């Protein structure tokens, strides 16, 4: 009997796998999620929030490589006053004797990077106060500065990885040495139900290295769906492997449906079959739904220019952010956008910080501000949280003649929308920007804040056999919640 089942089921599964390969990356994650819920895998939640939410969706903007906090959202004039001196010659020499230095877990001993750096390096750009709140923002981010009254800037972040594994740590809360665990996007995807049955609920745009998965022990159902925004070829992996017409695809899906129904009659206790049937229908719908979202020609010229689509330096990031807004409108839960190519990330400014950061800031500043303005005028910002984050900051001291090294001890991120206060600068670093001092926050505090606004209690998101630590859950940053 066993051999008969293997002969009947395995060839069929092989056939379905081959048939669906053209849909891989778009439909599979959502399909597997439907199956796992239907089968009770991991005792997945019912998709309902634990308490009334203030937000429905998250747009997560992550600057890969490490943005200098002093030259973005936490200006430090004392760097100019003491430029060229060693940190030990400043009134803040104790920063290099702090117990906080012991938090860092070094992956590569005596690495050329990830050092403290002792010679104070002056600010490479000016800054000024913006908005009614008068919060200081670097001159590299004037458009975001113009939106500062909608932002909560957290100036007191810290992490424990002094190398680019901190990219993984910011998303998962765990150090690279701890192994891989689900990311914040995966937990949101796991905890909440779909708002649109025609679209994936967790999307990633932009480059990823070190770890390109999200679900890990939750399973591939909760990985992000990779998406490349290209209006000329918006969704290459949503196309069938062969050149098939819509009518021919319908015939194929009909055949799959019939095979599933035959299996259902033979194996009535297979609880995943109905989920499979629905999943292939969803895959077919996605081929139309996803490319339709990336129809930028449906937007006015004014909106396209708001995101910088008319300028070469802002066009790529602007298209991703405009797509994010359109996906939010359609009910996608979590949209993760990575900026800065290369394994380390383009923001990794060990040298030429001024030219590098100014160029990268021009790429993201206008599109990001455009996203905030567009969401706000459409009434979407009230239930969409925008996060602007990075893996760590840069050292107050210089690396070489014109760069800054990795700096995990204190850095900045900001959030807006979805019940987050506007015009707030929360937490502080010392006058050199070395350590997070007042109201320090480990990276999972950002996760906990998002989950709270989405109506989820982090401690209820657990899977049997995978005990989570207290640091995995974090604590909501209540001071920035309206």
């Amino acid at each position: 009997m066993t051999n008969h089942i293997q002969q009947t089921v395995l060839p069929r599964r092989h056939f379905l796998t081959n048939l669906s390969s053209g849909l891989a990356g778009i439909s599979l994650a959502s399909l597997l999620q439907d199956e796992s819920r239907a089968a009770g895998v991991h005792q997945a939640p019912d998709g309902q929030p634990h308490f009334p939410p203030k937000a429905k969706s998250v747009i997560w903007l992550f600057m890969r490589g490490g943005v200098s906090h002093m030259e973005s959202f936490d200006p430090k004039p004392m760097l100019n006053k003491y430029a060229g001196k060693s940190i030990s010659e400043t009134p803040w020499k104790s920063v290099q004797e702090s117990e906080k230095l012991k938090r860092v877990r070094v992956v590569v001993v005596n690495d050329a990077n990830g050092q403290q750096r002792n010679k104070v390096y002056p600010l490479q750009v000016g800054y000024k106060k913006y908005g009614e709140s008068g919060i200081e923002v670097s001159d590299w981010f004037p458009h975001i500065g113009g939106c500062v009254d909608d932002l909560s800037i957290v100036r007191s972040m810290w992490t424990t990885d002094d190398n680019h594994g901190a990219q993984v740590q910011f998303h998962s809360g765990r150090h690279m040495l701890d192994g891989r665990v689900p990311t914040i996007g995966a937990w949101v995807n796991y905890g909440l139900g779909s708002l649109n049955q025609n679209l994936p609920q967790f999307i990633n745009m932009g480059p990823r290295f070190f770890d390109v998965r999200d679900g890990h022990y939750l399973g591939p159902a909760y990985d992000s769906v990779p998406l490349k925004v290209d209006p000329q070829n918006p969704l290459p992996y949503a196309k069938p492997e062969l050149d098939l017409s819509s009518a021919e695809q319908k015939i194929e899906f009909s055949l799959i449906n019939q095979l599933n129904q035959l299996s259902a009659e033979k194996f009535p206790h297979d609880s995943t079959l109905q989920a499979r049937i629905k999943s292939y229908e969803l895959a077919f719908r996605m081929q139309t739904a996803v490319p339709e979202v990336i129809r930028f020609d449906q937007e006015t010229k004014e909106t396209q220019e708001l995101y910088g689509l008319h300028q070469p330096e802002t066009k790529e990031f602007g298209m991703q952010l405009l797509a994010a807004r359109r996906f939010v409108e359609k009910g996608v839960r979590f949209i993760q956008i990575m900026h800065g190519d290369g394994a380390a990330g383009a923001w990794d400014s060990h040298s030429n910080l001024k030219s590098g950061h100014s160029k990268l800031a021009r790429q993201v500043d206008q599109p990001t501000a455009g996203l905030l303005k567009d969401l706000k005028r459409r009434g979407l910002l009230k239930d969409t949280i925008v996060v602007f984050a990075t893996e760590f900051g840069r050292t107050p001291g210089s690396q070489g003649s014109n760069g800054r090294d990795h700096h995990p001890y204190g850095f900045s991120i900001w959030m807006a929308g979805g019940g987050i206060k506007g015009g707030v600068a929360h937490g502080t670093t010392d006058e050199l920007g070395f350590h997070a001092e007042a109201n320090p926050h480990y990276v999972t505090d950002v996760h906990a804040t998002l989950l709270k606004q989405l109506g989820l209690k982090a401690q209820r998101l657990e899977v049997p056999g995978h005990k989570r630590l207290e640091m995995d859950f974090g604590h909501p940053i209540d001071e920035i919640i309206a």
Side-chain angles (χ1 to χ4, degrees), residues 80-142:
N80 293 337
K81 181 175 181 179
Y82 292 94
K85 296 184 179 295
S86 68
I87 289 178
S88 62
E89 294 177 283
T90 74
W92 302 280
K93 62 180 181 180
S94 62
V95 298
Q96 291 185 316
E97 304 166 0
S98 172
E99 286 291 310
K100 297 173 183 176
L101 297 176
K102 298 179 181 179
R103 291 173 172 169
V104 169
R105 299 168 62 191
V106 178
V107 177
V108 181
V109 178
N110 296 323
D111 193 345
N113 299 315
Q115 306 298 317
Q116 293 178 32
R117 309 297 172 183
N118 297 313
K119 187 177 179 180
V120 177
Y121 190 47
L123 294 177
Q124 298 301 293
V125 66
Y127 60 91
K128 67 178 182 179
K129 294 182 178 180
Y130 286 88
E132 294 182 7
S133 56
I135 295 174
E136 294 169 333
V137 176
S138 151
D139 291 345
W140 280 335
F141 297 92

Side-chain angles (χ1 to χ4, degrees), residues 10-25 27-28 31 237-245 247-260 276 279-281 283-284 287:
L10 293 182
R12 172 177 163 274
R13 287 177 178 168
H14 180 70
F15 167 70
L16 295 182
T17 299
N18 289 339
L19 184 62
S20 65
S21 60
L23 300 169
S27 61
L28 186 57
L31 315 188
Y237 34 74
K239 295 179 180 179
E241 188 173 3
L242 303 176
D243 187 14
L244 301 176
S245 68
E248 289 171 324
Q249 288 184 67
K250 287 181 179 179
I251 293 172
E252 285 191 336
F253 282 115
S254 177
L255 175 57
I256 293 171
N257 204 359
Q258 292 178 51
L259 290 170
N260 276 322
R276 284 199 188 99
S279 73
Y280 282 95
E281 294 172 352
F284 184 71
Q287 292 183 60

Side-chain angles (χ1 to χ4, degrees), residues 45-57:
D46 60 7
Q48 297 301 313
H50 302 145
F51 47 85
K54 294 183 180 178
K56 296 179 181 178
S57 300

Side-chain angles (χ1 to χ4, degrees), residues 27-41 44-45 47 185-194 199-202 218-223 225 275 279 282 333:
S27 61
L28 186 57
S30 294
L31 315 188
L32 289 172
Q33 183 175 344
D34 286 344
E35 288 196 10
S36 66
R37 289 189 188 279
V41 176
W187 283 118
V188 171
N189 195 15
Y190 176 78
L192 292 175
S194 174
L199 292 170
Q201 289 305 288
F202 180 17
L218 292 178
Y222 303 100
D223 285 344
V225 172
S279 73
L282 172 59
R333 288 283 191 188

Side-chain angles (χ1 to χ4, degrees), residues 148-348:
V148 77
D149 288 335
D150 292 316
L151 311 184
S152 272
I153 300 173
V154 182
R155 290 173 165 170
S156 52
M157 300 301 305
W158 63 274
T159 189
T160 67
D161 196 325
D162 66 352
N163 217 319
H164 295 291
Q167 295 173 20
V168 177
Q169 187 170 23
F170 202 106
H171 289 83
S172 70
R174 289 291 189 95
H175 195 283
M176 286 279 282
L177 296 175
D178 294 337
R180 303 293 183 268
V181 297
T183 66
I184 177 59
W187 283 118
V188 171
N189 195 15
Y190 176 78
L192 292 175
S194 174
L195 292 171
N196 187 330
Q197 296 295 330
N198 295 334
L199 292 170
Q201 289 305 288
F202 180 17
I203 290 171
N204 182 84
M205 292 183 268
R208 294 182 73 171
F209 293 81
F210 296 101
D211 187 9
V212 298
R213 307 297 296 272
D214 296 280
H216 294 293
Y217 62 71
L218 292 178
Y222 303 100
D223 285 344
S224 60
V225 172
L227 175 67
K228 183 176 181 180
V229 178
D230 180 358
Q232 302 305 315
N233 190 21
L235 215 56
Y237 34 74
K239 295 179 180 179
E241 188 173 3
L242 303 176
D243 187 14
L244 301 176
S245 68
S246 177
E248 289 171 324
Q249 288 184 67
K250 287 181 179 179
I251 293 172
E252 285 191 336
F253 282 115
S254 177
L255 175 57
I256 293 171
N257 204 359
Q258 292 178 51
L259 290 170
N260 276 322
Q261 294 294 349
L262 288 172
S263 292
E265 292 175 9
K266 290 184 177 181
F267 309 107
H269 301 296
D270 186 345
S271 59
T272 66
L273 277 174
Q274 289 304 315
R276 284 199 188 99
I277 294 169
K278 292 180 181 179
S279 73
Y280 282 95
E281 294 172 352
L282 172 59
F284 184 71
R285 296 197 303 271
M286 280 185 178
Q287 292 183 60
T288 300
V290 176
E292 181 66 21
V293 176
I294 312 176
R295 288 284 307 278
F296 297 151
D297 57 353
Q298 296 174 346
E299 301 288 341
T300 65
K301 181 181 178 182
E302 183 272 336
T303 296
Q304 293 184 44
E305 291 180 351
L306 184 66
Y307 285 84
L309 269 57
H310 61 301
Q311 300 171 148
E313 60 189 354
T314 53
K315 182 177 180 179
E316 182 177 358
F317 197 64
M319 288 196 302
Q320 292 175 333
L321 267 58
L322 180 51
R325 189 221 83 204
R326 290 172 66 87
F327 276 118
V328 161
E329 283 182 307
K330 299 293 185 181
V332 175
R333 288 283 191 188
F334 203 100
I335 302 154
Q336 181 171 278
I337 302 177
M338 305 289 198
H339 179 268
D341 208 353
W347 291 89
D348 192 29

Side-chain angles (χ1 to χ4, degrees), residues 367-381:
T368 302
L371 172 67
L372 293 171
K373 293 173 183 176
D374 201 18
L375 289 171
K376 189 173 182 179
R377 69 184 183 180
R378 294 171 186 271
L380 295 170
L381 191 60

